Amino acid sequence: MMKLTSVTDLSQVRFDSSEAIRNTNTSVSEEYRAADKITYIPWEDMKHQVSIGKDGKEFSVPIGYYKMNNENLTRDYMDVFSSKAQGKDVSNYEYYVKNFITDITKDFSDSSSVKNDEVSIEKGVGDLVSEMQENKSLGISNEIGNLKTKFSVNGVDFTIKELMDSKKTMDYATSMIPTTGSGLDYMNFGDMGIAKGKVRTFAEQNLNKEQQDLLNSTISARVEKIINSVPEKVNPNYLKDKIIDENNKFYSIKNTQAATNTEYARKIMDTFENVDYTDIDSFKKASQEYRRLIKPVCESFGVINIGRNQALTDVINYEINRFEKFYDESYQRVYLTPDEFKEKIRTAKNVIDIYS
């Protein structure tokens, strides 16, 4: 824990070195260090990150290390493990292992398994490096698909390829789940349906039954946690929103519809969940079903086509185009801060500021 003292010389800060090394509260020793020697400062509210397991309960894992000894910890895990197997001196190796443990447990553990999983995954890393060393001595390729070491997570065994591919899918799907807030809209339920469908399709194509069950139950529990944590009420800000097209031109006010009818919203979620995400036609069929389902919702919020004003068509097309971007795993969602959003609005053309 970093504590600023009341001295005027800020080249020295009071620093708890044990927190920088292990993110634990054991064996705490405080000492003065020069500020330029500090490579990692864990903020008080960032000691751990919260995740949700298949049991629907929250659990904590340590925040990962992003920089140690002036090195950014950005190397690919397989590159790090391979270098270790080749006998190379891998700086900050132990921190890469800790980051790997954090990244796996946050995606696949739950409140009852996380402690055992941390031990099991660390053992798996040691076994993997040993396997790679033996393969090297025998002239066997260490391509990730050839490696047979098993990692046991939440009672389920994975090879390193299965684990890394599953992690990529879970990270992508989890990023599509909205965080808790003042309300969910019908597009959010579409997002959550895509997240569940992405995981299910990947698992069916690549994993055994036990592995499938772990991934599907975990993503489902996270979705339900969000749905159950949001109050069923209409936030006034959900009744008015701005849409800016790719040409930076404002063309509609009302976009987001508060999902006050959860049963109806689940129909939208189910529509996108039950898609074969290896088949673009299956996804497009779901998109057209969304068009049918969302139309009366938009109309109930006063979004209609009148003469040359095609607000209803524009809004639905915008939402469907947005969903279609999620079909591609390389698509990354971009979140704007309130200040960034205000600046985008300020510089946009043909904008009516309905909040002023």
Side-chain angles (χ1 to χ4, degrees):
M1 183 73 60
M2 185 186 76
K3 299 178 182 178
L4 287 175
T5 63
S6 58
V7 298
T8 57
D9 180 9
L10 293 182
S11 65
Q12 298 273 330
V13 294
R14 194 163 178 76
F15 186 68
D16 171 3
S17 59
S18 69
E19 289 290 320
I21 296 173
R22 298 189 59 84
N23 265 338
T24 66
N25 292 320
T26 59
S27 303
V28 174
S29 61
E30 292 185 346
E31 59 181 307
Y32 283 96
R33 287 189 183 182
D36 61 2
K37 300 297 184 184
I38 299 173
T39 58
Y40 178 82
I41 300 176
W43 295 94
E44 186 169 3
D45 60 348
M46 289 182 62
K47 292 179 184 176
H48 292 83
Q49 54 183 311
V50 175
S51 190
I52 299 169
K54 67 177 183 179
D55 58 3
K57 298 178 180 179
E58 293 183 347
F59 65 96
S60 296
V61 297
I63 289 290
Y65 299 96
Y66 60 92
K67 188 172 185 178
M68 292 301 300
N69 303 320
N70 295 318
E71 177 187 340
N72 292 318
L73 304 188
T74 57
R75 290 179 62 182
D76 178 80
Y77 289 126
M78 291 307 298
D79 177 44
V80 171
F81 300 152
S82 177
S83 295
K84 187 69 173 178
Q86 295 173 48
K88 297 180 180 179
D89 182 16
V90 182
S91 60
N92 298 309
Y93 176 75
E94 65 272 25
Y95 295 103
Y96 276 105
V97 173
K98 291 179 186 297
N99 282 355
F100 180 75
I101 293 170
T102 290
D103 283 349
I104 299 304
T105 53
K106 74 179 176 59
D107 279 342
F108 305 110
S109 295
D110 62 27
S111 59
S112 63
S113 77
V114 62
K115 293 303 180 185
N116 288 335
D117 290 343
E118 290 172 349
V119 175
S120 176
I121 294 167
E122 185 169 14
K123 178 181 182 302
V125 170
D127 292 344
L128 179 68
V129 170
S130 295
E131 180 190 0
M132 296 173 83
Q133 289 173 333
E134 183 177 359
N135 286 349
K136 184 176 182 294
S137 69
L138 298 174
I140 299 174
S141 170
N142 276 322
E143 290 291 327
I144 191 170
N146 293 337
L147 299 171
K148 297 179 174 59
T149 295
K150 294 297 179 68
F151 289 80
S152 180
V153 187
N154 213 331
V156 179
D157 287 343
F158 293 84
T159 64
I160 186 64
K161 184 178 189 309
E162 291 168 339
L163 194 60
M164 297 308 289
D165 288 348
S166 297
K167 169 182 159 44
K168 178 181 177 182
T169 299
M170 285 294 290
D171 285 344
Y172 177 74
T174 300
S175 74
M176 299 178 65
I177 300 175
T179 56
T180 56
S182 58
L184 293 173
D185 59 59
Y186 289 95
M187 280 198 303
N188 291 148
F189 279 83
D191 295 346
M192 293 187 289
I194 295 173
K196 294 174 71 177
K198 282 274 192 177
V199 170
R200 178 189 50 74
T201 297
F202 163 81
E204 288 177 353
Q205 297 271 332
N206 299 280
L207 303 177
N208 64 35
K209 183 64 166 59
E210 274 191 320
Q211 295 164 337
Q212 291 177 40
D213 288 346
L214 176 58
L215 266 67
N216 288 328
S217 60
T218 299
I219 197 70
S220 293
R222 291 176 182 176
V223 166
E224 291 304 314
K225 184 77 170 180
I226 293 299
I227 294 174
N228 294 331
S229 68
V230 174
E232 293 186 8
K233 66 179 182 180
V234 178
N235 183 324
N237 288 332
Y238 275 76
L239 299 179
K240 46 189 179 180
D241 196 5
K242 302 181 180 73
I243 303 175
I244 302 172
D245 68 10
E246 61 184 4
N247 297 317
N248 207 28
K249 291 184 178 180
F250 170 80
Y251 64 90
S252 183
I253 294 178
K254 294 182 179 178
N255 165 38
T256 307
Q257 293 80 40
T260 53
N261 186 334
T262 305
E263 182 179 353
Y264 193 82
R266 283 183 180 274
K267 288 183 180 179
I268 290 173
M269 184 169 69
D270 293 345
T271 295
F272 283 106
E273 179 180 355
N274 297 318
V275 164
D276 177 359
Y277 282 89
T278 64
D279 181 2
I280 187 63
D281 289 335
S282 176
F283 185 75
K284 287 183 176 180
K285 183 179 179 181
S287 296
Q288 292 310 307
E289 176 63 9
Y290 177 79
R291 185 184 297 276
R292 185 187 70 81
L293 290 169
I294 203 64
K295 182 174 181 288
V297 175
C298 290
E299 290 173 337
S300 71
F301 277 78
V303 184
I304 58 176
N305 291 334
I306 302 178
R308 296 177 61 185
N309 182 351
Q310 297 295 298
L312 176 61
T313 301
D314 287 344
V315 166
I316 296 177
N317 286 343
Y318 169 84
E319 295 179 359
I320 289 177
N321 288 337
R322 176 180 169 279
F323 287 136
E324 288 181 349
K325 291 178 182 178
F326 293 164
Y327 184 84
D328 180 3
E329 288 187 6
S330 65
Y331 177 74
Q332 298 294 320
R333 302 180 75 172
V334 177
Y335 295 93
L336 298 180
T337 67
D339 287 341
E340 289 171 333
F341 180 74
K342 289 177 183 177
E343 178 62 18
K344 189 171 182 63
I345 291 298
R346 187 185 67 79
T347 59
K349 301 174 182 176
N350 302 327
V351 175
I352 302 172
D353 188 350
I354 59 175
Y355 294 104
S356 61

